[in-house]
Amino acid sequence: MEKLGFYRWQIGVEPIFELKDYFNKPYDILQEFPLARALKKRGGNVREVSGDELVEKKVILQNIVTKWLSAKKTTELSFLNKVSPFELENQKRFFVLEDRGRIQAFLSAVPLFRDGDIAGYFFNDVLKDDTARAGSIELIILETMRALYHQGVEEIRTGMCPLAQIDPEERNGKFLNKIFDRWHFGYNFKKLYQFKSKFNPTRWEPTYAISSSPNLKYLLLDILRVHLSGSLVAHFIVTFKKSAVRSTELKNEVKHLVKRKNSDKSSLTFLRQIPWTCIVTGK
């Protein structure tokens, strides 16, 4: 590849669920997810909606999307990860989780083709209402996979985990692993990976990026150009400013509740407390 002027970086992994193996267990898969199992026992039900019913329920589903986005600290990315479940909706399938007579979560699934036939689905958007019970996301993912498995679907994908499981021997692998471990601002790579890991996928498939430059910084800049719109950059700045202002306000609100340390100490006491006094005192 490098002879042709292109360079490859591993940029993450994607969990793959091969449904025949995934559900071929001597016990119900929900036994591995106590909260989801309890929610199902209390009446939580996952089913597909389509046609006229989907049109009827769309206002409810869109309200879930709106509340979910408004609760996020950062705005959405502008390319691959954009949350838009009803875009090209005629090519998707929709599943809902109903609990206590209300839709608590929903999922949109995009078909994956192999040799012209549908071989699997990509779970594009999985969203829950702010009133949903614990275990809602786990239940809708697992029960949707179960329903598709019984329909003969072979494979489910849930999207890439950026910077996860990068081989240290790959180009800049050790550096990218450090970013995965330490980066928390705006996007927490490790939490996303941990969430998807708990579903115990059948396998993890490496994902790669290709660049015409051998320098990692130019690859990262290219990725940022694709994802970051001007509005997103502005949003980061505004969010950071609001956070700083709110932090100052909170400090002022609780300042009178915090007991100040006694600062009426003699100079001799102060000198005794600092490390280099050992030179003078001989301790």
Side-chain angles (χ1 to χ4, degrees), residues 7-273:
Y7 302 86
R8 186 190 77 172
W9 282 267
Q10 184 185 351
I11 57 172
V13 289
E14 182 177 16
I16 311 297
F17 298 85
E18 296 176 357
L19 297 186
K20 185 176 180 180
D21 292 332
Y22 194 70
F23 287 100
N24 186 25
K25 293 181 173 68
Y27 57 87
D28 189 338
I29 191 69
L30 286 179
Q31 291 187 24
E32 299 177 5
F33 301 86
L35 293 176
R37 184 176 73 250
L39 179 55
K40 185 177 180 180
K41 286 183 176 180
R42 290 196 297 264
N45 179 52
V46 176
R47 65 184 183 87
E48 185 173 7
V49 294
S50 59
D52 292 339
E53 185 181 15
L54 177 60
V55 174
E56 178 188 341
K57 304 290 188 185
K58 191 179 292 186
V59 173
I60 299 173
L61 302 183
Q62 185 58 57
N63 185 50
I64 292 176
V65 175
T66 301
K67 289 194 292 185
W68 188 87
L69 289 173
S70 65
K72 297 302 166 186
K73 294 182 180 180
T74 60
T75 190
E76 61 187 342
L77 298 177
S78 60
F79 182 50
L80 295 178
N81 292 29
K82 186 174 182 179
V83 178
S84 184
F86 301 111
E87 186 174 350
L88 302 175
E89 65 179 79
N90 292 333
Q91 301 178 32
K92 299 177 181 178
R93 297 175 67 176
F94 293 85
F95 295 80
V96 298
L97 166 62
E98 293 174 321
D99 178 38
R100 296 171 289 179
R102 296 179 58 232
I103 293 178
Q104 299 291 300
F106 80 98
L107 177 157
S108 67
V110 179
L112 302 173
F113 292 88
R114 184 179 297 127
D115 299 326
D117 297 321
I118 295 178
Y121 283 88
F122 166 55
F123 288 177
N124 190 42
D125 294 300
V126 186
L127 306 172
K128 69 174 182 177
D129 190 76
D130 54 359
T131 63
R133 288 179 173 178
S136 295
I137 292 295
E138 290 86 350
L139 183 60
I140 193 171
I141 289 176
L142 292 167
E143 290 299 278
T144 300
M145 288 201 295
R146 191 199 303 273
L148 294 173
Y149 164 64
H150 288 308
Q151 295 172 16
V153 174
E154 299 175 5
E155 180 179 289
I156 295 295
R157 294 174 177 253
T158 58
M160 181 182 73
C161 295
L163 302 185
Q165 290 191 17
I166 293 180
D167 187 341
E169 300 303 318
E170 287 281 344
R171 184 186 298 271
N172 297 113
K174 293 180 180 179
F175 173 71
L176 294 173
N177 280 326
K178 287 182 180 179
I179 296 179
F180 175 78
D181 287 328
R182 302 176 185 179
W183 182 271
H184 302 289
F185 180 72
Y187 193 101
N188 195 311
F189 301 104
K190 184 175 286 188
K191 283 187 176 180
L192 176 65
Y193 171 68
Q194 291 171 340
F195 171 76
K196 294 186 179 183
S197 293
K198 72 180 180 179
F199 289 95
N200 300 315
T202 311
R203 58 189 172 88
W204 294 89
E205 189 171 279
T207 53
Y208 298 91
I210 306 297
S211 175
S212 59
S213 171
N215 196 314
L216 176 63
K217 69 180 180 181
Y218 293 117
L219 171 68
L220 297 177
L221 285 173
D222 288 340
I223 293 174
L224 289 174
R225 288 191 189 101
V226 171
H227 279 292
L228 301 184
S229 62
S231 61
L232 182 58
V233 175
H235 179 85
F236 270 112
I237 296 173
V238 171
T239 302
F240 182 80
K241 182 179 179 180
K242 287 182 178 178
S243 178
V245 170
R246 183 56 181 156
S247 178
T248 302
E249 291 174 349
L250 288 172
K251 287 179 181 178
N252 290 333
E253 288 175 9
V254 302
K255 185 167 55 176
H256 67 284
L257 300 175
V258 180
K259 185 177 180 181
R260 295 177 62 87
K261 290 183 178 180
N262 182 15
S263 58
D264 299 329
K265 294 182 179 179
S266 67
S267 300
L268 182 59
T269 301
F270 173 74
L271 287 173
R272 286 175 177 171
Q273 289 179 338

